[in-house]
Amino acid sequence: MKPATAFRNDALAKVTGRAKYTDDLELPGQLHATVVHSPHARAEIISIDVSLALQAPGIVAVFTAKDVPGKIRFGQIIQDYPVLTDKQINSTGDVIALIVGSTREAALAARNLVKLEVKELHPLLDPEEAIREGAPLVHDWHGSNICNTHHIRSGDPDLGERESTHILEAEFITQRIEHAYLEPEAALCNLRPDGVMEVYGSMQHPFSTRRFVANTLGLPLADVEVKTIPMGGGFGGKDDTAALVCARAALCAYLLNRPVKLIYSREMSFRESYKRHPYKITYRLGLDDDGLIRFVKVRILADGGAYCSVTPWVTWRSTVQCCGCYQVPHVHCDTYGVYTNNVFSGAMRGFGSPQVNFAIEQLIEMAGEKLGLDEISIRRKNMLHQGSTTITGQVLDTHIVSLKQVMDRVLDQINYSEKRKQCSFGKGEGELYGIGFAISYRGMSLGAEGVDLNSAILNVQPDGSVLLETGIHENGQGSESAMILIAAEELGLPRESIRYRLPSTSNIPDGGTTVASRGTIMGGGAVVNAAGILKKLITEALLKHHPQYSVLPSDTTLVFADKLISTADRSIQVSWLEAIRLCFANQIYPYAFGVFQAPNVSWDEETGQGNAYFTWVYGCQAVELKVEPRSGKITLTNLVAAHDVGKAINPELVKGQFYGGMAMASGYALLEDCRVDKGMVVPSNFHNYHLARATDLPEMTAIIIENPDPNSPSKAKGIGEPTNELMAPAIANALYHATGKRCFKLPLKA
């Protein structure tokens, strides 16, 4: 029942402007809040004087940390982030006060009237400096500027070094980048007459937002209801910061007992919102004369910024995938997430894999060149295949390992072998030409990062229409559409019969945040399981109460297809509507609650060994480019990608994820750099932060590979993040083939 064209259940509302985003919402008696950010990266607060701000026209209230009725600090892993800073300033993104006015303009005008007296302290801005012995602590209570560590201890790297006849060493630097979602952070909060704080906002995870709000207000979770509405993009960036914005708006609404809206400007968002982690990665790698990797030693240093956020989870994935999609018998990896006084780092599309892939996918080609092997041969010798053991000791035997398949499809599509002969390597007159590619594997969903489950509700109405709800949040990626298509296929109904019901935190259990490309695999799995429960219930009703079906054995399996419910041979059939009416007539609710629990994983934090993820996805991307020798201008001329998605639920939207991922990663490779100066984020808006534009991007080809996954009830995996983790190393390799010079730092420069 796959559609021939793209299906979006929310497309009409969005293209006609009928979709209502947070800033479109208005409530009677609504007030407007804004934030006052710290001008310092590190300081001790002596006093905060709000008296002048309170006297400004249109100002209703000014709140500081002393007004918080609950706990000041919260966080998903370590509770270190203050909703309002009370004593110690750790970042220029810290908020020291909230100003509430009758209008947004009035609130904004009063921001400069809040007077802050501080004792300035030397900020720690370099992770290497932060971990030196004797360095001052960003958080005294933590006892160290190392936020977290991860390790892999596999085999004997010293033995591997003795077995190696060729040794490579290299250091790679990746930069901090901004998510650049279209809609800045926004929240509208209202204290209902029943005492429940109602929250609308642009956030990725309603349930983590609920926890932030409840913590700030000192309320039980049941007294906070977060409702999902359309959001204008996230890419991983609408979790912690978005939840804090909601908590601040809720604080104002709670203290004033009036609806309060808090909308961030782009400048506020750039200043405070978390970024992709900058990495420094140092590799030592050895190979034998046959070109087989014998050992890898790697040190990963991630700048986590002022607060923990999800740094331990991001760096854990980097650790698990530090050797890329290659077999390495001896591995020693040490990864450090480091506290500094920079803007904090958090989740971003790719979640720790773009950084390590940028390094390892260049390193593998450097290794091949050292041995006289081309970049295809060295990969074929070392890549993972069916039954291989990963560096964490996981045997890849529960799904199709399609690494060779995706690589071969891309190389064939782009005619790599022939075009590779045309590469300039810095020689010749005029524009230089290069072609390059990269491959990867990626663990699906959360893995050993956390508890991984999701739920879905199917509620059939008396007229046969179906209300569907899942614990997956629609971030703009089309998850609702995918859930509808899965339900339609499972129940044998047209998609028009199914209405996706916007969930709230009071309607369905917490299904985990919509990250890690887990929306389709986890939410879709729950929908399949809910459909199975519903079909069993309807089957039992027919076998018990329908005259034609009641003569059949009790273990009869019925077929749900084409709005009919029939026996396998179609000799007996009844319409969907008739079956539903029969259920209601016999006091049977056609309602199902389904849960998908991810298969078990395992992890030993000391050794970095275990089955890190329950299944994996595989991808390959290639690029052609030209370099103008005088100016160094790099022009992309062709992009090709192949990814194994398990099963493509909505193929045209899957392709959209390919194109978006490649476009975003091209900007990461060539343009984006969210620099900081003395702790202050330098770019303040898109006029001085350079994203890849349509004119910077060439034609793109998306190749969908389908190997239905036995670990997934829907047979689908995920694709949102895998498409974003390969183009930077592919461009780096192509740039080398064009210029003859390696680039070890992002963004790339010719």
Side-chain angles (χ1 to χ4, degrees):
M1 296 180 68
K2 291 180 183 177
T5 56
F7 165 60
R8 282 295 298 251
N9 64 310
D10 55 358
L12 183 63
K14 288 183 174 178
V15 300
T16 58
R18 294 210 309 262
K20 299 299 182 185
Y21 294 81
T22 305
D23 200 21
D24 296 318
L25 304 180
E26 300 285 341
L27 291 174
Q30 175 181 295
L31 299 172
H32 296 264
T34 192
V35 295
V36 179
H37 283 114
S38 163
H40 310 286
R42 183 166 178 256
E44 292 178 4
I45 295 177
I46 297 173
S47 67
I48 304 173
D49 185 355
V50 303
S51 57
L52 287 177
L54 280 170
Q55 297 170 27
I59 298 306
V60 177
V62 181
F63 298 122
T64 61
K66 63 181 176 56
D67 298 303
V68 175
K71 296 178 182 177
I72 293 174
R73 288 170 178 76
F74 199 65
Q76 298 197 65
I77 301 174
I78 298 175
Q79 297 190 2
D80 59 1
Y81 203 118
V83 65
L84 291 171
T85 301
D86 54 347
K87 299 174 183 176
Q88 176 93 10
I89 290 171
N90 297 311
S91 163
T92 57
D94 283 7
V95 173
I96 61 171
L98 293 166
I99 300 177
V100 186
S102 56
T103 65
R104 186 166 186 264
E105 291 71 22
L108 289 170
R111 287 193 303 163
N112 291 333
L113 299 178
V114 174
K115 302 303 178 185
L116 177 67
E117 185 182 358
V118 301
K119 175 186 176 183
E120 283 199 68
L121 302 172
H122 171 70
L124 288 168
L125 305 175
D126 179 355
E128 291 284 13
E129 178 191 351
I131 62 174
R132 287 195 192 112
E133 188 175 352
L137 299 179
V138 176
H139 300 289
D140 290 342
W141 50 265
H142 188 67
S144 170
N145 285 329
I146 296 177
C147 176
N148 66 282
T149 60
H150 301 295
H151 310 284
I152 289 181
R153 299 290 186 267
S154 174
D156 182 352
D158 293 333
L159 172 62
E161 187 151 359
R162 292 194 295 273
E163 294 172 346
S164 300
T165 51
H166 305 274
I167 305 291
L168 286 85
E169 292 184 309
E171 183 176 273
F172 299 86
I173 305 291
T174 69
Q175 80 282 40
R176 177 183 290 104
I177 70 169
E178 161 71 24
H179 298 78
Y181 26 75
L182 189 61
E183 178 196 26
E185 294 78 5
L188 174 61
C189 299
N190 178 47
L191 187 61
R192 294 198 317 233
D194 63 358
V196 171
M197 178 56 67
E198 196 169 67
V199 179
Y200 301 87
S202 181
M203 89 289 285
Q204 278 183 239
H205 188 209
F207 288 94
S208 65
T209 299
R210 183 176 67 161
R211 289 192 287 272
F212 271 83
V213 172
N215 179 83
T216 301
L217 302 185
L219 296 176
L221 294 175
D223 284 356
V224 178
E225 181 174 6
V226 181
K227 296 193 172 184
T228 61
I229 57 174
M231 61 176 281
F235 310 111
K238 292 280 184 70
D239 207 335
D240 294 47
T241 310
L244 284 158
V245 170
C246 289
R248 290 168 186 147
L251 173 65
C252 297
Y254 184 80
L255 295 174
L256 296 171
N257 196 17
R258 287 179 65 180
V260 174
K261 181 186 285 188
L262 172 55
I263 306 293
Y264 268 30
S265 66
R266 184 66 60 185
E267 288 78 11
M268 294 174 187
S269 180
F270 262 90
R271 180 170 185 154
E272 184 184 340
S273 67
Y274 55 87
K275 318 300 180 192
R276 177 177 284 167
H277 291 75
Y279 272 34
K280 182 166 83 170
I281 315 174
T282 306
Y283 279 95
R284 182 174 173 83
L285 177 149
L287 305 95
D288 61 22
D289 286 331
D290 292 326
L292 296 176
I293 302 172
R294 300 309 304 158
F295 81 94
V296 169
K297 293 181 180 179
V298 57
R299 175 183 183 261
I300 301 173
L301 198 66
D303 186 347
Y307 302 105
C308 174
S309 183
V310 293
T311 291
W313 294 338
V314 171
T315 53
W316 179 75
R317 182 177 287 273
S318 305
T319 306
V320 171
Q321 297 175 206
C322 70
C323 292
C325 49
Y326 302 105
Q327 301 181 82
V328 185
H330 308 292
V331 181
H332 183 138
C333 175
D334 290 314
T335 301
Y336 305 93
V338 182
Y339 280 124
T340 66
N341 291 114
N342 291 314
V343 61
F344 76 121
S345 306
M348 187 174 184
R349 189 177 187 181
F351 208 74
S353 63
Q355 297 96 321
V356 292
N357 282 336
F358 171 69
I360 198 68
E361 281 301 290
Q362 288 197 82
L363 199 60
I364 190 70
E365 295 201 358
M366 293 162 61
E369 191 172 38
K370 196 173 183 70
L371 275 78
L373 295 171
D374 64 67
E375 59 269 24
I376 299 174
S377 299
I378 190 68
R379 285 184 172 92
R380 291 202 196 284
K381 280 180 174 288
N382 290 284
M383 69 185 352
L384 295 161
H385 50 73
Q386 200 70 41
S388 290
T389 300
T390 71
I391 62 171
T392 72
Q394 181 170 357
V395 180
L396 300 177
D397 60 0
T398 62
H399 62 281
I400 301 293
V401 178
S402 55
L403 203 51
K404 180 179 182 299
Q405 183 183 6
V406 294
M407 186 175 84
D408 288 349
R409 285 291 299 275
V410 167
L411 298 183
D412 179 66
Q413 174 70 33
I414 206 167
N415 194 17
Y416 189 89
S417 295
E418 287 302 311
K419 291 180 177 177
R420 175 67 169 77
K421 300 171 186 175
Q422 303 167 20
C423 290
S424 303
F425 284 94
K427 300 174 182 177
E429 298 181 1
E431 288 184 319
L432 306 175
Y433 169 80
I435 188 171
F437 75 99
I439 61 175
S440 73
Y441 80 152
R442 179 182 183 85
M444 268 280 89
S445 201
L446 299 180
E449 291 171 24
V451 178
D452 206 0
L453 77 165
N454 209 278
S455 63
I457 293 170
L458 289 167
N459 186 359
V460 187
Q461 305 303 296
D463 64 355
S465 60
V466 182
L467 290 173
L468 166 63
E469 191 172 351
T470 74
I472 290 298
H473 189 253
E474 173 61 64
N475 296 339
Q477 77 277 38
S479 67
E480 293 177 7
S481 306
M483 301 302 110
I484 289 171
L485 291 172
I486 292 170
E489 183 170 358
E490 292 296 316
L491 299 177
L493 297 174
R495 65 194 187 207
E496 293 79 11
S497 298
I498 300 170
R499 167 67 67 180
Y500 195 94
R501 183 178 187 274
L502 291 179
S504 89
T505 54
S506 297
N507 297 343
I508 197 163
D510 186 352
T513 187
T514 305
V515 296
S517 304
R518 66 188 292 272
T520 301
I521 192 170
M522 296 305 299
V527 171
V528 170
N529 290 343
I533 295 168
L534 181 61
K535 289 191 287 187
K536 184 174 184 292
L537 183 151
I538 294 171
T539 297
E540 290 174 351
L542 287 171
L543 294 177
K544 183 175 181 180
H545 298 290
H546 194 283
Q548 284 183 284
Y549 289 87
S550 60
V551 298
L552 299 175
S554 60
D555 61 350
T556 299
T557 299
L558 301 181
V559 177
F560 288 66
D562 303 320
K563 295 197 291 185
L564 298 172
I565 303 171
S566 64
T567 54
D569 61 2
R570 296 290 179 111
S571 61
I572 304 174
Q573 60 185 31
V574 64
S575 72
W576 168 265
L577 180 56
E578 185 180 346
I580 297 306
R581 285 174 174 169
L582 179 141
C583 287
F584 278 102
N586 288 278
Q587 303 179 60
I588 299 169
Y589 284 120
Y591 173 99
F593 175 76
V595 175
F596 175 47
Q597 296 173 299
N600 288 335
V601 292
S602 60
W603 188 252
D604 184 325
E605 192 61 57
E606 294 299 316
T607 63
Q609 296 297 290
N611 293 344
Y613 297 95
F614 68 87
T615 193
W616 298 74
V617 294
Y618 304 89
C620 177
Q621 293 184 1
V623 58
E624 293 180 79
L625 55 76
K626 297 182 297 183
V627 180
E628 210 293 315
R630 289 182 179 274
S631 66
K633 181 183 178 183
I634 301 166
T635 302
L636 306 180
T637 61
N638 188 19
L639 305 180
V640 178
H643 292 270
D644 185 347
V645 303
K647 175 184 175 183
I649 302 300
N650 199 352
E652 293 306 310
L653 259 65
V654 169
K655 291 179 182 177
Q657 291 290 330
F658 279 59
Y659 304 140
M662 286 190 280
M664 198 174 206
S666 297
Y668 178 51
L670 298 173
L671 300 168
E672 297 185 52
D673 189 2
C674 196
R675 295 178 296 110
V676 294
D677 181 20
K678 299 178 182 178
M680 179 69 76
V681 175
V682 174
S684 57
N685 209 316
F686 293 134
H687 72 286
N688 57 359
Y689 184 77
H690 303 296
L691 298 166
R693 302 164 297 176
T695 52
D696 297 315
L697 298 166
E699 287 296 313
M700 300 185 228
T701 302
I703 304 169
I704 298 173
I705 304 294
E706 292 186 278
N707 289 298
D709 196 288
N711 304 287
S712 167
S714 69
K715 308 306 177 190
K717 297 190 187 184
I719 196 57
E721 291 181 290
T723 59
N724 191 235
E725 65 184 14
L726 280 173
M727 192 47 67
I731 292 173
N733 288 331
L735 190 60
Y736 171 69
H737 296 149
T739 64
K741 295 189 180 297
R742 279 280 166 202
C743 295
F744 300 94
K745 184 177 180 180
L746 287 174
L748 299 165
K749 304 294 180 186

